[in-house]
Amino acid sequence: MTPEIIKQPCLVLVGPTAIGKTDLSLILARRYDCEIVSVDSMQVYRHMDIGTAKASVDERSEIPHHLIDIVDPDENYDAAQFALDGLQAIRDIHSRGKIPLLTGGTGLYLRALFEGIFPGVPVDEKTRQILKDRLLAEGPSKLHEELSLCDSVSAKRIHTNDSQRLLRALEIFYVSGIPWSEHLAHHKEVTEGVQFTNALQIGLTMDRQKLYQRINTRCDQMVECGLEDEVRKLLAMGYDRQLKSFGSIGYRHILNYIDGYWTKEEALRLLARDTRRYAKRQYTWFSRLTDLQWFDVAEKQKILQTVEDWFAKLNLS
RNA sequence: GCCGGGAUAGCUCAGUCGGUAGAGCAACGGACUGAAAAUCCGUGUGUCCCUGGUUCGAUUCCUGGUCCCGGCA
């Protein structure tokens, strides 16, 4: 397989949570006739609006948004599915003669779209459950030893306590009979993924302390805007507390409060703290994107000028 | 004004019978290929209030300051 080459223009806007991606994406979309493709692992879920800080319904009716509200909270969605859906959305937008504006903060999803994801071993729930039970019964060291026997390369890379990767590595081996490390090595040789030859990638940043202030404020606002009601509504709809989607920031905090494990103050404090830590992890992802041009979010004119220049250059060629 | 107590990491504090220091929280850095807002790994970031003295050596003991907190006036 060869990487798909997309020559049509494409804008990418990334940045940590709460930095103001939505505002800027709307400005850019209006000015350059874009449709927005959300690169966000949580905004894909319906009924989870406040905690995922989706663009408002009005904003979404003004500018088309893709990959928001596409699955129910109890459906499985993952990076591989995103890579397919994202590419499809981009194609559709191009076919309408418009420009896709990828906006979001989920590093893995962006990577899955750009570099592809090795095919052939989708999640196998049955195997995964068996391994989960074994992890509980036998402990991580035992399973990690087992991994070193069937895939020593991955075992070296994966820490014993990293339960998710440990289980995934074993799952891949037991389902396919081929070590994860071999799948990956092979995939590197035959990269599919998508190569954008005309993409402008913009990274948004701001002073860390100011960002944290914004995060704290936004967490307060989420609670004021009825995050608790949103969670209670989801429970009333019959969604189980164990769902993946409930494990995300905000939802799990409110759930812990509702179930009486934390006081409201505790829940709010930890919600803000975990959001701050999340923003830090997002920066780690973005720092690896070599084609990214960084701007302070306050430098709006500079950003607009950069986009303007980029378009001018495109029209010449 | 007097009597006590205190001053050590961003915060709350512990500690050093004299050999330049630590816990919780917070913070910081990193990893990441089908859960990723997940999961994990790593890191003390410090004029130990100032001053002088004793000492080979003072954050620790002593002198004198400064500030804070109680209590009594």
Side-chain angles (χ1 to χ4, degrees):
Chain A
M1 223 182 278
T2 50
E4 165 150 6
I5 296 192
I6 293 186
K7 291 179 187 163
Q8 288 107 314
C10 185
L11 276 166
V12 180
L13 182 63
V14 301
T17 185
I19 200 161
K21 291 189 293 295
T22 302
D23 287 350
L24 186 59
S25 70
L26 290 168
I27 291 170
L28 290 174
R30 284 186 197 113
R31 192 177 287 211
Y32 298 104
D33 202 19
C34 301
E35 292 188 20
I36 291 170
V37 179
S38 159
V39 185
D40 189 299
S41 63
M42 283 299 142
Q43 293 190 0
V44 297
Y45 293 112
R46 298 183 191 106
H47 317 299
M48 301 180 112
D49 303 331
I50 297 171
T52 64
K54 286 174 191 164
S56 72
V57 173
D58 282 352
E59 288 163 339
R60 282 187 269 158
S61 66
E62 182 200 348
I63 308 283
H65 280 65
H66 301 267
L67 305 191
I68 292 178
D69 288 348
I70 53 172
V71 291
D72 286 328
D74 58 351
E75 287 181 77
N76 282 329
Y77 195 81
D78 58 44
Q81 190 59 48
F82 176 82
L84 293 174
D85 294 344
L87 184 55
Q88 186 60 50
I90 290 167
R91 282 204 189 105
D92 290 350
I93 294 167
H94 279 146
S95 74
R96 275 178 236 118
K98 291 187 155 191
I99 292 159
L101 169 54
L102 277 59
T103 306
T106 303
L108 177 67
Y109 281 17
L110 208 58
R111 185 175 174 189
L113 177 65
F114 286 166
E115 296 175 22
I117 211 159
F118 81 88
V121 191
V123 178
D124 184 301
E125 289 297 346
K126 212 174 143 195
T127 308
R128 188 168 282 195
Q129 191 55 51
I130 291 169
L131 287 166
K132 257 188 206 168
D133 293 344
R134 284 193 53 204
L135 178 68
L136 223 57
E138 301 169 33
S141 313
K142 195 97 183 282
L143 292 192
H144 193 263
E145 272 172 42
E146 191 170 313
L147 182 64
S148 7
L149 293 177
C150 57
D151 183 356
S152 61
V153 176
S154 295
K156 254 187 183 165
R157 181 174 72 87
I158 297 167
H159 194 276
T160 310
N161 295 336
D162 191 350
S163 54
Q164 281 190 10
R165 281 183 192 84
L166 179 58
L167 293 181
R168 174 66 180 152
L170 288 168
E171 173 189 319
I172 287 170
F173 181 75
Y174 289 132
V175 168
S176 69
I178 299 169
W180 191 6
S181 50
E182 275 185 39
H183 283 290
L184 289 177
H186 182 63
H187 181 242
K188 271 188 185 152
E189 292 162 19
V190 294
T191 309
E192 354 112 55
V194 191
Q195 230 176 58
F196 292 93
T197 53
N198 281 309
L200 176 64
Q201 299 186 31
I202 292 171
L204 293 181
T205 187
M206 73 190 293
D207 174 79
R208 190 66 72 90
Q209 287 314 307
K210 277 187 193 160
L211 178 65
Y212 284 2
Q213 288 280 328
R214 278 181 66 102
I215 287 174
N216 296 344
T217 307
R218 189 159 87 166
C219 288
D220 288 343
Q221 282 169 353
M222 279 181 179
V223 173
E224 279 165 29
C225 289
L227 183 58
E228 186 184 335
D229 284 347
E230 184 168 281
V231 175
R232 288 189 189 280
K233 217 176 280 174
L234 285 159
L235 290 174
M237 288 167 86
Y239 291 115
D240 191 275
R241 315 167 129 58
Q242 305 296 327
L243 288 171
K244 264 176 16 182
S245 49
F246 268 142
S248 64
I249 293 173
Y251 295 93
R252 69 163 189 267
H253 297 87
I254 296 298
L255 228 37
N256 271 323
Y257 158 62
I258 288 176
D259 290 344
Y261 295 116
W262 294 343
T263 64
K264 196 163 194 169
E265 292 70 34
E266 250 178 320
L268 189 58
R269 184 178 69 84
L270 294 170
L271 164 62
R273 182 198 66 182
D274 291 340
T275 307
R276 276 176 265 147
R277 290 180 174 174
Y278 170 52
K280 199 151 60 65
R281 269 177 282 137
Q282 287 180 298
Y283 272 122
T284 306
W285 268 106
F286 304 147
S287 68
R288 296 203 336 191
L289 298 174
T290 45
D291 295 331
L292 205 58
Q293 295 186 45
W294 285 101
F295 295 93
D296 189 293
V297 72
E299 304 174 304
K300 218 169 84 185
Q301 285 314 313
K302 209 169 148 191
I303 297 171
L304 292 174
Q305 192 58 52
T306 303
V307 178
E308 192 70 42
D309 293 347
W310 175 71
F311 269 108
K313 225 172 98 189
L314 277 180
N315 291 332
L316 284 177
S317 59

